Coordinates of all heavy atoms in Angstrom, one line a residue:
V1 N -8.7 -19.8 -10.9 CA -8.7 -18.7 -11.9 C -10.1 -18.4 -12.4 O -10.5 -17.2 -12.6 CB -7.9 -19.1 -13.1 CG1 -8.1 -18.2 -14.3 CG2 -6.4 -19.2 -12.7
S2 N -10.9 -19.4 -12.5 CA -12.4 -19.2 -13.1 C -13.3 -18.7 -12.0 O -14.4 -18.4 -12.4 CB -12.9 -20.5 -13.6 OG -12.9 -21.4 -12.6
T3 N -12.8 -18.7 -10.8 CA -13.7 -18.1 -9.7 C -13.5 -16.6 -9.5 O -14.5 -15.9 -9.8 CB -13.5 -18.9 -8.4 OG1 -12.5 -19.9 -8.5 CG2 -14.7 -19.4 -7.8
I4 N -12.4 -16.2 -8.9 CA -12.2 -14.9 -8.5 C -11.7 -14.1 -9.9 O -10.9 -14.4 -10.6 CB -11.1 -14.7 -7.5 CG1 -11.4 -15.6 -6.3 CG2 -10.9 -13.2 -7.1 CD1 -12.7 -15.3 -5.7
K5 N -12.5 -13.0 -10.1 CA -12.2 -12.3 -11.4 C -11.3 -11.1 -11.2 O -10.7 -10.6 -12.0 CB -13.5 -11.8 -12.0 CG -14.5 -13.0 -12.4 CD -14.0 -14.0 -13.3 CE -15.0 -15.1 -13.6 NZ -14.4 -16.2 -14.5
A6 N -11.4 -10.4 -9.9 CA -10.7 -9.2 -9.8 C -10.6 -9.0 -8.2 O -11.3 -9.4 -7.3 CB -11.6 -7.9 -10.4
V7 N -9.5 -8.1 -7.9 CA -9.3 -7.7 -6.5 C -8.9 -6.1 -6.5 O -8.2 -5.8 -7.3 CB -8.1 -8.4 -5.9 CG1 -7.9 -8.1 -4.4 CG2 -8.3 -9.9 -5.9
Y8 N -9.8 -5.4 -5.7 CA -9.5 -4.1 -5.6 C -9.1 -3.7 -4.2 O -9.8 -4.2 -3.2 CB -10.7 -3.3 -6.1 CG -10.9 -3.4 -7.5 CD1 -11.9 -4.3 -8.0 CD2 -10.1 -2.8 -8.5 CE1 -12.1 -4.5 -9.4 CE2 -10.3 -3.0 -9.8 CZ -11.4 -3.8 -10.3 OH -11.5 -4.0 -11.7
F9 N -8.2 -2.9 -4.0 CA -7.6 -2.5 -2.6 C -7.9 -1.0 -2.4 O -7.7 -0.2 -3.3 CB -6.1 -2.7 -2.5 CG -5.7 -4.2 -2.7 CD1 -5.3 -4.6 -4.0 CD2 -5.7 -5.1 -1.7 CE1 -4.9 -5.8 -4.3 CE2 -5.3 -6.4 -2.1 CZ -4.9 -6.8 -3.3
D10 N -8.2 -0.7 -1.2 CA -8.0 0.8 -0.7 C -6.6 0.9 -0.5 O -5.8 0.0 -0.4 CB -8.8 0.9 0.5 CG -8.7 2.4 1.1 OD1 -8.5 3.3 0.3 OD2 -8.7 2.5 2.3
F11 N -6.1 2.2 -0.5 CA -4.7 2.3 -0.3 C -4.3 2.7 1.3 O -3.7 1.9 1.8 CB -4.1 3.6 -1.1 CG -2.7 3.7 -1.0 CD1 -1.9 3.1 -2.0 CD2 -2.1 4.5 -0.2 CE1 -0.5 3.1 -2.0 CE2 -0.7 4.7 -0.1 CZ 0.2 4.0 -1.0
D12 N -4.7 3.8 1.7 CA -4.5 4.1 3.1 C -5.1 3.1 4.0 O -6.3 2.9 4.0 CB -5.0 5.5 3.5 CG -4.1 6.6 2.8 OD1 -2.9 6.4 2.6 OD2 -4.8 7.7 2.5
G13 N -4.2 2.4 4.9 CA -4.8 1.5 5.9 C -4.8 0.1 5.3 O -5.1 -0.9 6.1
V14 N -4.5 -0.1 4.1 CA -4.6 -1.5 3.4 C -3.2 -1.7 2.8 O -2.4 -2.5 3.2 CB -5.6 -1.6 2.3 CG1 -5.5 -3.0 1.7 CG2 -7.1 -1.5 3.1
I15 N -2.8 -1.0 1.7 CA -1.5 -1.0 1.2 C -0.5 -0.3 2.1 O 0.6 -0.8 2.3 CB -1.5 -0.5 -0.3 CG1 -2.4 -1.4 -1.2 CG2 -0.1 -0.4 -0.8 CD1 -2.4 -1.0 -2.6
S16 N -0.9 0.8 2.6 CA 0.0 1.4 3.6 C -0.6 1.3 5.0 O -1.7 0.7 5.2 CB 0.0 2.9 3.3 OG -1.2 3.5 3.8
T17 N 0.2 1.7 6.0 CA -0.2 1.5 7.4 C -1.3 2.4 7.8 O -1.9 2.3 8.9 CB 0.9 1.7 8.3 OG1 1.5 3.1 8.1 CG2 2.1 0.7 8.1
G18 N -1.5 3.5 7.0 CA -2.5 4.5 7.2 C -1.9 5.7 7.9 O -2.4 6.9 8.1
E19 N -0.5 5.5 8.2 CA 0.2 6.7 8.9 C 0.8 7.5 7.7 O 1.1 7.0 6.6 CB 1.3 6.1 9.8 CG 0.7 5.3 10.9 CD 1.8 4.6 11.6 OE1 2.4 3.7 11.0 OE2 2.0 4.7 12.8
V20 N 1.2 8.7 8.1 CA 1.9 9.6 7.1 C 2.9 10.5 7.9 O 2.7 10.9 9.0 CB 0.9 10.5 6.4 CG1 0.2 11.4 7.4 CG2 1.6 11.3 5.3
W21 N 4.1 10.7 7.2 CA 5.2 11.4 7.7 C 5.4 12.6 6.8 O 5.4 12.4 5.6 CB 6.4 10.7 7.8 CG 6.5 9.6 8.8 CD1 6.9 9.7 10.1 CD2 6.1 8.2 8.6 NE1 6.7 8.4 10.8 CE2 6.3 7.5 9.9 CE3 5.6 7.4 7.5 CZ2 5.9 6.2 9.9 CZ3 5.3 6.2 7.7 CH2 5.4 5.5 8.9
T22 N 5.4 13.8 7.4 CA 5.5 15.1 6.6 C 6.8 15.8 7.0 O 7.0 16.0 8.3 CB 4.3 15.9 6.8 OG1 3.1 15.2 6.6 CG2 4.4 17.2 5.9
D23 N 7.7 16.1 5.9 CA 8.9 16.8 6.3 C 8.6 18.3 6.4 O 7.5 18.8 6.1 CB 10.0 16.4 5.4 CG 9.8 16.9 3.9 OD1 9.0 17.7 3.6 OD2 10.5 16.3 3.0
Q24 N 9.7 19.1 6.5 CA 9.7 20.5 6.8 C 9.1 21.2 5.5 O 8.7 22.4 5.5 CB 10.9 21.1 7.3 CG 12.1 21.0 6.2 CD 12.9 19.7 6.5 OE1 12.3 18.8 7.0 NE2 14.1 19.7 6.1
S25 N 9.3 20.4 4.3 CA 9.0 21.1 3.0 C 7.5 20.7 2.6 O 6.9 21.0 1.6 CB 9.9 20.6 1.9 OG 11.1 20.9 2.2
G26 N 6.8 19.9 3.5 CA 5.5 19.4 3.3 C 5.4 18.2 2.4 O 4.3 17.8 2.0
V27 N 6.5 17.5 2.1 CA 6.5 16.4 1.4 C 6.1 15.1 2.3 O 6.7 15.0 3.4 CB 7.9 16.1 0.8 CG1 8.0 14.6 0.0 CG2 8.3 17.1 -0.1
E28 N 5.2 14.2 1.8 CA 4.7 13.3 2.7 C 5.2 11.9 2.3 O 5.6 11.7 1.1 CB 3.1 13.2 2.5 CG 2.4 14.4 3.0 CD 0.8 14.2 3.0 OE1 0.3 13.2 2.4 OE2 0.2 15.0 3.5
S29 N 5.4 11.0 3.2 CA 5.9 9.7 3.0 C 4.9 8.7 3.7 O 4.3 9.1 4.8 CB 7.3 9.5 3.6 OG 8.1 10.4 3.0
V30 N 4.8 7.6 3.2 CA 4.1 6.5 3.8 C 4.8 5.2 4.0 O 5.9 5.0 3.3 CB 2.7 6.1 3.0 CG1 1.8 7.4 2.9 CG2 3.1 5.7 1.7
C31 N 4.3 4.3 4.8 CA 5.0 3.0 5.1 C 4.3 1.8 4.4 O 3.0 1.7 4.7 CB 5.1 2.7 6.5 SG 6.0 1.3 7.0
C32 N 4.9 1.1 3.6 CA 4.3 -0.1 3.0 C 5.2 -1.3 3.2 O 6.3 -1.2 3.7 CB 4.0 0.2 1.5 SG 3.1 1.7 1.1
S33 N 4.7 -2.4 2.8 CA 5.4 -3.6 3.0 C 6.0 -4.2 1.7 O 5.3 -4.5 0.8 CB 4.6 -4.7 3.7 OG 5.3 -5.9 3.7
R34 N 7.3 -4.6 1.7 CA 7.9 -5.1 0.6 C 7.4 -6.7 0.4 O 7.3 -7.1 -0.7 CB 9.5 -5.2 0.7 CG 10.1 -3.8 0.5 CD 11.5 -4.0 0.4 NE 12.2 -2.6 0.2 CZ 12.2 -1.9 -0.9 NH1 11.7 -2.5 -2.1 NH2 12.8 -0.8 -0.9
R35 N 6.9 -7.2 1.4 CA 6.3 -8.6 1.3 C 5.0 -8.5 0.5 O 4.7 -9.5 -0.2 CB 6.1 -9.2 2.7 CG 7.4 -9.5 3.4 CD 7.0 -10.2 4.8 NE 8.2 -10.6 5.4 CZ 8.3 -11.2 6.6 NH1 7.1 -11.5 7.3 NH2 9.5 -11.4 7.1
D36 N 4.3 -7.5 0.6 CA 3.1 -7.3 -0.2 C 3.5 -7.2 -1.6 O 2.8 -7.8 -2.5 CB 2.4 -5.9 0.1 CG 1.8 -5.9 1.6 OD1 1.7 -7.1 2.1 OD2 1.3 -4.9 2.0
S37 N 4.6 -6.6 -2.0 CA 5.1 -6.4 -3.4 C 5.3 -7.8 -3.9 O 4.9 -8.2 -5.1 CB 6.4 -5.5 -3.4 OG 6.1 -4.3 -2.8
L38 N 6.1 -8.7 -3.3 CA 6.4 -9.9 -3.7 C 5.1 -10.8 -3.8 O 5.0 -11.6 -4.8 CB 7.2 -10.7 -2.7 CG 7.7 -12.1 -3.1 CD1 8.5 -12.1 -4.4 CD2 8.7 -12.7 -2.0
G39 N 4.2 -10.7 -2.9 CA 3.0 -11.3 -3.0 C 2.1 -11.0 -4.3 O 1.6 -11.9 -5.1
L40 N 2.1 -9.7 -4.7 CA 1.4 -9.4 -5.9 C 2.1 -9.8 -7.2 O 1.5 -10.3 -8.1 CB 1.3 -7.8 -6.0 CG 0.4 -7.1 -5.0 CD1 0.6 -5.6 -5.0 CD2 -1.1 -7.5 -5.4
T41 N 3.5 -9.9 -7.1 CA 4.3 -10.4 -8.3 C 3.9 -11.9 -8.3 O 3.7 -12.4 -9.5 CB 5.7 -10.3 -8.0 OG1 6.1 -8.8 -7.9 CG2 6.6 -10.9 -9.1

């Protein structure tokens, strides 16, 4: 705890795969991992 003070992540390509899906309405979706969520918790 006394060593590492902070962690900052980029989003695209780190939290997400860097890929994006766009539907016919222009709404974008990305792919992320639920295991990452548990790790942060």
Side-chain angles (χ1 to χ4, degrees):
V1 169
S2 64
T3 352
I4 308 302
K5 304 300 183 184
V7 184
Y8 294 102
F9 304 93
D10 179 32
F11 187 87
D12 288 328
V14 176
I15 293 178
S16 78
T17 61
E19 301 167 297
V20 61
W21 291 269
T22 307
D23 68 14
Q24 65 273 20
S25 301
V27 178
E28 295 185 352
S29 302
V30 297
C31 180
C32 304
S33 173
R34 290 192 181 275
R35 291 185 178 181
D36 291 351
S37 306
L38 179 58
L40 288 167
T41 298

